[in-house]
Amino acid sequence: MNKLQVVISTQYDPFLNRAVEQYLTDNQEEDTVTMYLWKNQQTVVIGYNQNPYSECNVQLLLDEGGHLMRRGTGGGAVYHDLGNINFSFVADKSLYDVHKQLSVIQDALLAYGLEAEISGRNDLTCQGRKFSGNAFGKGKKNNLHHGTLLIKTDGAMMQRYLTVDKAKLMKHGVKSVASRVVNLSELVPELTSESIKQPLIASFEKVYGGKATMLNFDTFIKNKEVQSIREHIASDDFLFGRWRQFKTSKKAQFPWGNVDIALHIDEAKAIINEAQIASDCLDPEAIRQAEQLLQGSSTKTAPAFDMDNEILHDIIGLIYG
């Protein structure tokens, strides 16, 4: 029989919350699905392959007491505050089902008379406006699906910190990031980031057909592995290191996401010493493969690659086309 677990964070530290999520993904027992609910205070969260300096006003955010955090998954930048709630599904690979996991969110919102629709690459919308972005990751034993629910997020602060590419906004036919999204409390005033917790738990149990075990968040705080993960993901090197000298050589927008490429070239030898790729692509592994493929390649002849890989095909075509 499948085991269901619920974890609710009692802290607003983004690095601790992310560390617990990674710990669950790495260590959760087999045949288990966990729903993890958490909140971050004044935080910009960027995708694993994103350049922080092009996604948000880093210095302003830090000067005003905010946090920058990098996910282990792909996707774009989002703003977190205590007006929103974040969810994570950590599931044994045999039980991982994105549609089923999203149905937990959809079912919970029906309690408030809201009908949510799956839209685009990874969004949930209500009345045509986005209230949730989702991202996905693969572990050794478990897979991860997490996302944000905008309930009563400060839209002014979101615009203050996030710097969205104009081409991306034009693609969606909007003038600002705020006009693309909706706070669910605008549609149902009594809905809050606290009141949604119990409907989410009830829907989780309903969709998966069982009673969930509630785990104490405080036991994770004291865990040495959680503390080690937290220290790593909060480090300056992990957040900023390779991006301080990033200078875009090529950039483009594809159906799978935006891409900026910095090429460090040895002109005398006509080879690419290093390729750095910034992207909101949902597949961080494909970006890593592209960087490895390009490193040491000739600047004149494209390297051989898997032609069936759309992301590699587009990136190599952008550089050598």
Side-chain angles (χ1 to χ4, degrees):
M1 184 175 177
N2 301 334
K3 183 178 180 181
L4 304 180
Q5 298 181 155
V6 171
V7 180
I8 300 179
S9 173
T10 58
Q11 305 290 319
Y12 304 138
D13 174 355
F15 305 110
L16 178 60
N17 286 332
R18 157 115 149 72
V20 170
E21 179 188 71
Q22 185 169 324
Y23 177 82
L24 287 167
T25 305
D26 293 342
N27 297 283
Q28 181 172 276
E29 296 177 358
E30 61 183 22
D31 298 324
T32 300
V33 181
T34 298
M35 183 175 71
Y36 172 39
L37 303 177
W38 44 287
K39 297 182 187 181
N40 292 331
Q41 188 166 27
Q42 196 179 353
T43 304
V44 171
V45 183
I46 59 175
Y48 186 76
N49 295 112
Q50 288 194 295
N51 177 358
Y53 299 104
S54 64
E55 298 301 326
C56 75
N57 190 327
V58 173
Q59 200 56 53
L60 179 66
L61 174 69
L62 299 181
D63 286 347
E64 296 185 349
H67 308 280
L68 178 83
M69 185 180 74
R70 185 182 297 279
R71 295 191 302 272
T73 57
V78 292
Y79 177 67
H80 290 178
D81 62 18
L82 300 186
N84 76 317
I85 190 166
N86 310 296
F87 63 87
S88 306
F89 292 101
V90 178
D92 182 301
K93 290 192 174 186
S94 66
L95 303 174
Y96 184 78
D97 183 334
V98 172
H99 189 79
K100 189 173 186 178
Q101 290 143 205
L102 286 174
S103 72
V104 172
I105 309 301
Q106 292 174 302
D107 183 78
L109 292 176
L110 287 176
Y112 294 90
L114 295 173
E115 293 189 10
E117 298 179 345
I118 302 171
S119 173
R121 294 187 301 156
N122 60 332
D123 298 340
L124 283 172
T125 62
C126 193
Q127 298 182 13
R129 294 169 70 189
K130 174 180 174 179
F131 69 87
S132 177
N134 293 248
F136 317 95
K138 296 178 181 179
K140 291 181 179 178
K141 299 184 297 182
N142 302 293
N143 287 346
L144 169 67
H145 164 197
H146 56 189
T148 296
L149 299 180
L150 298 179
I151 309 288
K152 199 173 182 178
T153 300
D154 189 329
M157 297 303 280
M158 181 190 299
Q159 290 197 91
R160 182 171 176 79
Y161 297 134
L162 294 182
T163 53
V164 180
D165 192 311
K166 291 182 179 179
K168 193 170 183 179
L169 293 175
M170 288 175 64
K171 177 184 175 183
H172 293 277
V174 296
K175 294 182 179 179
S176 71
V177 63
S179 63
R180 281 189 61 204
V181 303
V182 64
N183 272 314
L184 294 178
S185 62
E186 294 177 33
L187 309 177
V188 180
E190 63 268 27
L191 177 55
T192 69
S193 60
E194 286 297 315
S195 71
I196 192 64
K197 289 180 180 178
Q198 286 306 315
L200 283 169
I201 294 170
S203 294
F204 179 55
E205 294 179 331
K206 174 184 172 183
V207 169
Y208 283 88
K211 184 69 176 176
T213 300
M214 300 293 295
L215 302 184
N216 188 337
F217 185 79
D218 290 345
T219 61
F220 293 102
I221 296 175
K222 303 170 186 176
N223 185 287
K224 289 183 178 180
E225 186 174 343
V226 169
Q227 290 297 335
S228 177
I229 294 169
R230 187 202 177 281
E231 183 178 356
H232 169 64
I233 62 176
S235 69
D236 181 88
D237 187 60
F238 181 76
L239 292 171
F240 305 107
R242 67 192 294 256
W243 301 101
R244 286 198 170 94
Q245 305 303 319
F246 187 96
K247 294 183 179 179
T248 300
S249 305
K250 302 272 188 177
K251 69 183 301 181
Q253 188 175 68
F254 298 104
W256 47 263
N258 293 332
V259 63
D260 284 66
I261 303 172
L263 298 175
H264 304 274
I265 295 173
D266 184 328
E267 299 288 355
K269 296 180 180 178
I271 63 169
I272 299 171
N273 282 334
E274 183 185 7
Q276 288 178 262
I277 301 176
S279 178
D280 61 357
C281 166
L282 288 171
D283 186 356
E285 178 61 20
I287 299 301
R288 185 188 68 82
Q289 289 176 9
E291 289 178 334
Q292 290 183 337
L293 183 68
L294 289 166
Q295 185 172 344
S297 294
S298 165
T299 58
K300 300 176 181 178
T301 306
F305 64 97
D306 179 3
M307 293 297 290
D308 292 331
N309 188 314
E310 179 187 10
I311 295 172
L312 285 180
H313 181 276
D314 290 340
I315 289 174
I316 299 302
L318 176 63
I319 295 172
Y320 291 92

mmCIF file of all heavy atoms in Angstrom, residues 11 15 26 30 41 47 71 82 87 103 105-106 110 116 123 153 180 202 205 217 222 224 241 271 310 315:
data_model
loop_
_atom_site.group_PDB
_atom_site.id
_atom_site.type_symbol
_atom_site.label_atom_id
_atom_site.label_comp_id
_atom_site.label_asym_id
_atom_site.label_seq_id
_atom_site.Cartn_x
_atom_site.Cartn_y
_atom_site.Cartn_z
ATOM 1 N N GLN A 11 8.899 27.577 9.251
ATOM 2 C CA GLN A 11 9.919 28.615 9.086
ATOM 3 C C GLN A 11 9.731 29.335 7.752
ATOM 4 O O GLN A 11 9.172 28.776 6.812
ATOM 5 C CB GLN A 11 11.316 27.990 9.136
ATOM 6 C CG GLN A 11 11.595 27.163 10.376
ATOM 7 C CD GLN A 11 11.719 27.996 11.626
ATOM 8 O OE1 GLN A 11 12.335 29.073 11.588
ATOM 9 N NE2 GLN A 11 11.175 27.530 12.731
ATOM 10 N N PHE A 15 16.197 29.113 2.333
ATOM 11 C CA PHE A 15 17.252 28.112 2.186
ATOM 12 C C PHE A 15 16.960 26.866 3.021
ATOM 13 O O PHE A 15 17.216 25.744 2.590
ATOM 14 C CB PHE A 15 18.611 28.714 2.563
ATOM 15 C CG PHE A 15 18.927 29.962 1.791
ATOM 16 C CD1 PHE A 15 18.938 31.197 2.415
ATOM 17 C CD2 PHE A 15 19.197 29.903 0.429
ATOM 18 C CE1 PHE A 15 19.213 32.350 1.698
ATOM 19 C CE2 PHE A 15 19.474 31.050 -0.300
ATOM 20 C CZ PHE A 15 19.477 32.277 0.338
ATOM 21 N N ASP A 26 15.937 13.218 -1.728
ATOM 22 C CA ASP A 26 17.083 12.310 -1.693
ATOM 23 C C ASP A 26 16.868 11.088 -0.802
ATOM 24 O O ASP A 26 17.449 10.030 -1.050
ATOM 25 C CB ASP A 26 18.330 13.054 -1.202
ATOM 26 C CG ASP A 26 18.810 14.120 -2.166
ATOM 27 O OD1 ASP A 26 18.409 14.073 -3.347
ATOM 28 O OD2 ASP A 26 19.572 15.007 -1.738
ATOM 29 N N GLU A 30 10.681 4.319 -0.209
ATOM 30 C CA GLU A 30 9.999 3.917 -1.438
ATOM 31 C C GLU A 30 8.502 3.783 -1.199
ATOM 32 O O GLU A 30 8.037 3.696 -0.064
ATOM 33 C CB GLU A 30 10.579 2.612 -1.968
ATOM 34 C CG GLU A 30 10.441 1.435 -1.039
ATOM 35 C CD GLU A 30 11.093 0.186 -1.598
ATOM 36 O OE1 GLU A 30 11.981 0.299 -2.466
ATOM 37 O OE2 GLU A 30 10.702 -0.909 -1.161
ATOM 38 N N GLN A 41 9.807 34.309 2.962
ATOM 39 C CA GLN A 41 9.589 35.729 3.169
ATOM 40 C C GLN A 41 10.486 36.559 2.258
ATOM 41 O O GLN A 41 11.703 36.363 2.248
ATOM 42 C CB GLN A 41 9.852 36.088 4.638
ATOM 43 C CG GLN A 41 9.461 37.516 5.000
ATOM 44 C CD GLN A 41 9.406 37.717 6.503
ATOM 45 O OE1 GLN A 41 10.093 37.033 7.256
ATOM 46 N NE2 GLN A 41 8.578 38.642 6.962
ATOM 47 N N GLY A 47 15.424 29.835 -11.463
ATOM 48 C CA GLY A 47 15.664 28.482 -11.915
ATOM 49 C C GLY A 47 17.145 28.130 -11.865
ATOM 50 O O GLY A 47 18.011 29.013 -11.802
ATOM 51 N N ARG A 71 16.729 27.489 -7.327
ATOM 52 C CA ARG A 71 16.136 26.154 -7.254
ATOM 53 C C ARG A 71 17.075 25.104 -7.827
ATOM 54 O O ARG A 71 18.019 25.435 -8.550
ATOM 55 C CB ARG A 71 14.827 26.085 -8.063
ATOM 56 C CG ARG A 71 13.714 26.949 -7.548
ATOM 57 C CD ARG A 71 12.404 26.601 -8.264
ATOM 58 N NE ARG A 71 12.493 26.755 -9.708
ATOM 59 C CZ ARG A 71 12.255 27.879 -10.372
ATOM 60 N NH1 ARG A 71 11.935 28.970 -9.728
ATOM 61 N NH2 ARG A 71 12.343 27.921 -11.690
ATOM 62 N N LEU A 82 4.866 36.182 2.185
ATOM 63 C CA LEU A 82 3.978 35.421 3.058
ATOM 64 C C LEU A 82 2.527 35.428 2.580
ATOM 65 O O LEU A 82 1.676 34.764 3.169
ATOM 66 C CB LEU A 82 4.076 35.948 4.494
ATOM 67 C CG LEU A 82 5.478 35.867 5.112
ATOM 68 C CD1 LEU A 82 5.443 36.278 6.582
ATOM 69 C CD2 LEU A 82 6.062 34.472 4.961
ATOM 70 N N PHE A 87 4.050 24.622 -2.743
ATOM 71 C CA PHE A 87 3.802 23.201 -2.540
ATOM 72 C C PHE A 87 4.873 22.389 -3.251
ATOM 73 O O PHE A 87 5.416 22.802 -4.276
ATOM 74 C CB PHE A 87 2.420 22.801 -3.069
ATOM 75 C CG PHE A 87 2.252 22.991 -4.552
ATOM 76 C CD1 PHE A 87 2.621 22.004 -5.452
ATOM 77 C CD2 PHE A 87 1.744 24.178 -5.061
ATOM 78 C CE1 PHE A 87 2.491 22.180 -6.826
ATOM 79 C CE2 PHE A 87 1.603 24.373 -6.433
ATOM 80 C CZ PHE A 87 1.978 23.371 -7.316
ATOM 81 N N SER A 103 -3.974 17.810 -10.002
ATOM 82 C CA SER A 103 -5.400 17.658 -9.677
ATOM 83 C C SER A 103 -5.657 17.885 -8.187
ATOM 84 O O SER A 103 -6.766 18.255 -7.790
ATOM 85 C CB SER A 103 -5.914 16.285 -10.117
ATOM 86 O OG SER A 103 -5.412 15.254 -9.296
ATOM 87 N N ILE A 105 -4.239 20.276 -6.470
ATOM 88 C CA ILE A 105 -4.400 21.737 -6.403
ATOM 89 C C ILE A 105 -5.772 22.140 -6.951
ATOM 90 O O ILE A 105 -6.494 22.943 -6.340
ATOM 91 C CB ILE A 105 -3.295 22.456 -7.204
ATOM 92 C CG1 ILE A 105 -1.905 21.941 -6.805
ATOM 93 C CG2 ILE A 105 -3.404 23.963 -7.030
ATOM 94 C CD1 ILE A 105 -1.554 22.113 -5.362
ATOM 95 N N GLN A 106 -6.114 21.587 -8.096
ATOM 96 C CA GLN A 106 -7.398 21.926 -8.714
ATOM 97 C C GLN A 106 -8.567 21.561 -7.815
ATOM 98 O O GLN A 106 -9.511 22.338 -7.659
ATOM 99 C CB GLN A 106 -7.517 21.216 -10.069
ATOM 100 C CG GLN A 106 -6.548 21.741 -11.124
ATOM 101 C CD GLN A 106 -6.580 20.924 -12.401
ATOM 102 O OE1 GLN A 106 -6.335 19.713 -12.390
ATOM 103 N NE2 GLN A 106 -6.892 21.569 -13.503
ATOM 104 N N LEU A 110 -11.555 24.007 -5.811
ATOM 105 C CA LEU A 110 -12.996 23.846 -6.034
ATOM 106 C C LEU A 110 -13.777 24.132 -4.753
ATOM 107 O O LEU A 110 -14.943 24.533 -4.812
ATOM 108 C CB LEU A 110 -13.311 22.433 -6.534
ATOM 109 C CG LEU A 110 -12.917 22.123 -7.984
ATOM 110 C CD1 LEU A 110 -13.196 20.666 -8.300
ATOM 111 C CD2 LEU A 110 -13.682 23.034 -8.951
ATOM 112 N N ALA A 116 -9.466 25.795 -11.868
ATOM 113 C CA ALA A 116 -8.103 26.037 -12.358
ATOM 114 C C ALA A 116 -7.851 25.200 -13.599
ATOM 115 O O ALA A 116 -8.316 24.064 -13.709
ATOM 116 C CB ALA A 116 -7.095 25.683 -11.275
ATOM 117 N N ASP A 123 2.124 26.128 -16.219
ATOM 118 C CA ASP A 123 1.336 27.071 -15.437
ATOM 119 C C ASP A 123 -0.048 26.531 -15.086
ATOM 120 O O ASP A 123 -0.604 25.696 -15.795
ATOM 121 C CB ASP A 123 1.141 28.383 -16.212
ATOM 122 C CG ASP A 123 2.441 29.102 -16.507
ATOM 123 O OD1 ASP A 123 3.446 28.821 -15.816
ATOM 124 O OD2 ASP A 123 2.448 29.949 -17.423
ATOM 125 N N THR A 153 -0.102 37.883 -2.837
ATOM 126 C CA THR A 153 1.273 38.336 -3.010
ATOM 127 C C THR A 153 1.302 39.820 -3.351
ATOM 128 O O THR A 153 0.437 40.315 -4.071
ATOM 129 C CB THR A 153 1.955 37.512 -4.115
ATOM 130 O OG1 THR A 153 1.952 36.136 -3.727
ATOM 131 C CG2 THR A 153 3.375 37.965 -4.355
ATOM 132 N N ARG A 180 0.050 39.677 -16.016
ATOM 133 C CA ARG A 180 -0.063 38.281 -16.437
ATOM 134 C C ARG A 180 -0.628 37.402 -15.340
ATOM 135 O O ARG A 180 -1.096 36.310 -15.602
ATOM 136 C CB ARG A 180 1.312 37.729 -16.815
ATOM 137 C CG ARG A 180 1.827 38.101 -18.166
ATOM 138 C CD ARG A 180 3.081 37.286 -18.456
ATOM 139 N NE ARG A 180 2.781 35.854 -18.466
ATOM 140 C CZ ARG A 180 3.670 34.894 -18.237
ATOM 141 N NH1 ARG A 180 4.905 35.208 -17.930
ATOM 142 N NH2 ARG A 180 3.322 33.635 -18.294
ATOM 143 N N ALA A 202 -6.868 17.816 2.533
ATOM 144 C CA ALA A 202 -8.056 17.000 2.257
ATOM 145 C C ALA A 202 -8.062 16.502 0.814
ATOM 146 O O ALA A 202 -8.394 15.340 0.532
ATOM 147 C CB ALA A 202 -9.321 17.809 2.554
ATOM 148 N N GLU A 205 -5.452 13.688 0.259
ATOM 149 C CA GLU A 205 -5.947 12.396 0.731
ATOM 150 C C GLU A 205 -7.045 11.852 -0.168
ATOM 151 O O GLU A 205 -7.105 10.642 -0.437
ATOM 152 C CB GLU A 205 -6.442 12.527 2.168
ATOM 153 C CG GLU A 205 -5.322 12.850 3.161
ATOM 154 C CD GLU A 205 -5.807 13.003 4.588
ATOM 155 O OE1 GLU A 205 -6.983 13.411 4.783
ATOM 156 O OE2 GLU A 205 -5.031 12.730 5.521
ATOM 157 N N PHE A 217 7.913 19.226 11.272
ATOM 158 C CA PHE A 217 8.955 19.955 10.549
ATOM 159 C C PHE A 217 10.191 20.177 11.401
ATOM 160 O O PHE A 217 11.318 20.188 10.895
ATOM 161 C CB PHE A 217 8.408 21.300 10.063
ATOM 162 C CG PHE A 217 9.368 22.072 9.197
ATOM 163 C CD1 PHE A 217 9.534 21.753 7.862
ATOM 164 C CD2 PHE A 217 10.116 23.114 9.724
ATOM 165 C CE1 PHE A 217 10.420 22.449 7.052
ATOM 166 C CE2 PHE A 217 11.006 23.825 8.925
ATOM 167 C CZ PHE A 217 11.155 23.482 7.595
ATOM 168 N N LYS A 222 16.883 20.034 12.743
ATOM 169 C CA LYS A 222 18.048 19.559 13.496
ATOM 170 C C LYS A 222 18.895 18.558 12.706
ATOM 171 O O LYS A 222 19.975 18.174 13.156
ATOM 172 C CB LYS A 222 17.576 18.924 14.803
ATOM 173 C CG LYS A 222 16.739 19.867 15.676
ATOM 174 C CD LYS A 222 16.095 19.112 16.828
ATOM 175 C CE LYS A 222 15.149 20.016 17.615
ATOM 176 N NZ LYS A 222 14.429 19.280 18.686
ATOM 177 N N LYS A 224 21.524 16.985 10.353
ATOM 178 C CA LYS A 224 22.819 17.482 9.876
ATOM 179 C C LYS A 224 22.877 17.577 8.352
ATOM 180 O O LYS A 224 23.493 18.495 7.803
ATOM 181 C CB LYS A 224 23.941 16.580 10.393
ATOM 182 C CG LYS A 224 24.180 16.720 11.891
ATOM 183 C CD LYS A 224 25.358 15.869 12.341
ATOM 184 C CE LYS A 224 25.616 16.045 13.839
ATOM 185 N NZ LYS A 224 26.753 15.221 14.311
ATOM 186 N N GLY A 241 28.420 32.781 -8.230
ATOM 187 C CA GLY A 241 29.783 32.546 -8.692
ATOM 188 C C GLY A 241 30.033 32.636 -10.181
ATOM 189 O O GLY A 241 30.771 33.505 -10.651
ATOM 190 N N ILE A 271 38.747 27.371 -30.809
ATOM 191 C CA ILE A 271 37.917 26.445 -30.024
ATOM 192 C C ILE A 271 37.167 27.212 -28.932
ATOM 193 O O ILE A 271 37.562 28.321 -28.545
ATOM 194 C CB ILE A 271 38.752 25.322 -29.375
ATOM 195 C CG1 ILE A 271 39.762 25.902 -28.380
ATOM 196 C CG2 ILE A 271 39.439 24.472 -30.415
ATOM 197 C CD1 ILE A 271 40.427 24.841 -27.508
ATOM 198 N N GLU A 310 15.560 18.265 -28.981
ATOM 199 C CA GLU A 310 15.131 19.571 -29.494
ATOM 200 C C GLU A 310 15.961 20.714 -28.917
ATOM 201 O O GLU A 310 16.342 21.656 -29.631
ATOM 202 C CB GLU A 310 13.654 19.792 -29.180
ATOM 203 C CG GLU A 310 13.116 21.132 -29.642
ATOM 204 C CD GLU A 310 11.700 21.410 -29.181
ATOM 205 O OE1 GLU A 310 11.184 20.635 -28.335
ATOM 206 O OE2 GLU A 310 11.099 22.395 -29.641
ATOM 207 N N ILE A 315 20.057 24.975 -29.651
ATOM 208 C CA ILE A 315 21.223 25.689 -29.134
ATOM 209 C C ILE A 315 22.393 25.593 -30.112
ATOM 210 O O ILE A 315 23.052 26.609 -30.423
ATOM 211 C CB ILE A 315 21.615 25.138 -27.759
ATOM 212 C CG1 ILE A 315 20.574 25.561 -26.708
ATOM 213 C CG2 ILE A 315 23.011 25.635 -27.347
ATOM 214 C CD1 ILE A 315 20.784 24.965 -25.334
#
